[in-house]
Amino acid sequence: AKNALIYATRAQVKSKLQDDKNALIDWDKAIQFNAQDGNYYYQRGLVKQKLGDVEGATQDWDKAVSLGNEVKKK
């Protein structure tokens, strides 16, 4: 879980810097290390939405909900 947190933190920073493609890569890595964190799927969904991948974003949000997260689509 420690590695997941490192990648999640990097992804958040990259998102703030508008580096969405690399943020997506880091969210993918965070999920590889901790696939049970619904917030990771939620956050990755937001990045996918910004990149125009509506279907991928919806799938991530559905997964986040299945893991117990409340999802607020923007």
Side-chain angles (χ1 to χ4, degrees), residues 21-32:
K21 288 182 181 176
N22 285 313
L24 184 61
I25 291 168
D26 282 347
W27 283 122
D28 290 342
K29 282 284 197 189
I31 289 169
Q32 284 178 3

Side-chain angles (χ1 to χ4, degrees), residues 16-58:
K16 287 182 179 164
L17 295 172
Q18 306 298 315
D19 186 5
D20 295 317
K21 288 182 181 176
N22 285 313
L24 184 61
I25 291 168
D26 282 347
W27 283 122
D28 290 342
K29 282 284 197 189
I31 289 169
Q32 284 178 3
F33 284 109
N34 183 3
Q36 298 306 308
D37 191 322
N39 186 52
Y40 292 173
Y41 289 95
Y42 172 72
Q43 295 296 331
R44 186 174 72 175
L46 292 176
V47 174
K48 286 180 177 180
Q49 182 186 41
K50 284 170 52 176
L51 291 171
D53 181 5
V54 176
E55 184 178 336
T58 301

